Amino acid sequence: MATYREADWTPVPWTRVTLDGGLWAERQRVNHERTLPAVYRQLQDTGRMDAFRLTWRPGMQPVPHQFWDSDVAKWLEAAAYSLGTRPDPDLAARVDDTIARIASAQQPDGYLNTHFTAVEPHNRWTNLRDMHELYCAGHLLEAAVAHYDATGKT
């Protein structure tokens, strides 16, 4: 049985990996052409994108939920991964717009969560186990890393 040392391996950045055919290339194509646009529409239709405008007031529907930010961040991460191997000016524009929306919702002290900014500001950081603040932040960080790797943009 052969043994390998770490020095025997050369990492390849994911942006340099191309799938030219077969099941996974087809899945990437469908994700890029169909899934990403469909999910983006759902994020718009359900109010998740608009939640970053911070215009929600009591009595308005829908009420931004604790995990909505993570849904947008997950789409952003997926879009970044797609852009890393399939340049697309329209998708890049949607990504840039989404990033601008997210950045506009960040509070002066650095805090970023639409639910706890607009709906329950008095409950910020009161229940880290259950209230999704760290979960949402984690997905946003993963999206940021994927976006940087894909585009080089900060």
Side-chain angles (χ1 to χ4, degrees):
M1 175 177 217
T3 59
Y4 297 96
R5 300 171 302 138
E6 188 175 316
D8 293 333
W9 298 88
T10 303
V12 177
W14 65 267
T15 54
R16 293 188 48 215
V17 175
T18 303
L19 301 176
D20 295 325
L23 173 70
W24 295 116
E26 177 62 11
R27 293 291 79 205
Q28 282 185 329
R29 184 190 66 75
V30 170
N31 182 61
H32 182 84
E33 294 176 6
R34 303 285 186 205
T35 307
L36 289 171
V39 171
Y40 185 80
R41 282 190 303 276
Q42 285 298 309
L43 294 171
Q44 289 179 310
D45 293 348
T46 59
R48 283 160 169 80
M49 286 294 191
D50 283 341
F52 287 97
R53 297 186 194 284
L54 302 178
T55 57
W56 182 87
R57 299 294 176 260
M60 294 173 66
Q61 293 296 324
V63 179
H65 195 274
Q66 300 158 350
F67 58 71
W68 275 14
D69 293 13
S70 72
D71 294 341
V72 175
K74 289 176 215 176
W75 175 85
L76 191 57
E77 180 181 8
Y81 280 125
S82 190
L83 286 173
T85 56
R86 292 174 180 265
D88 177 336
D90 293 332
L91 180 59
R94 284 190 297 272
V95 164
D96 288 346
D97 177 65
T98 301
I99 291 169
R101 283 184 194 222
I102 292 169
S104 74
Q106 188 172 16
Q107 300 301 289
D109 65 358
Y111 186 81
L112 181 57
N113 184 291
T114 59
H115 175 82
F116 289 101
T117 297
V119 181
E120 294 185 75
H122 58 283
N123 282 330
R124 266 177 50 166
W125 302 127
T126 59
N127 183 344
L128 297 182
R129 188 189 75 187
D130 299 321
M131 302 306 262
H132 290 83
E133 287 166 287
L134 296 178
Y135 178 82
C136 291
H139 277 291
L140 187 58
L141 290 170
E142 290 175 349
V145 170
H147 181 260
Y148 177 78
D149 285 346
T151 67
K153 293 181 182 179
T154 59

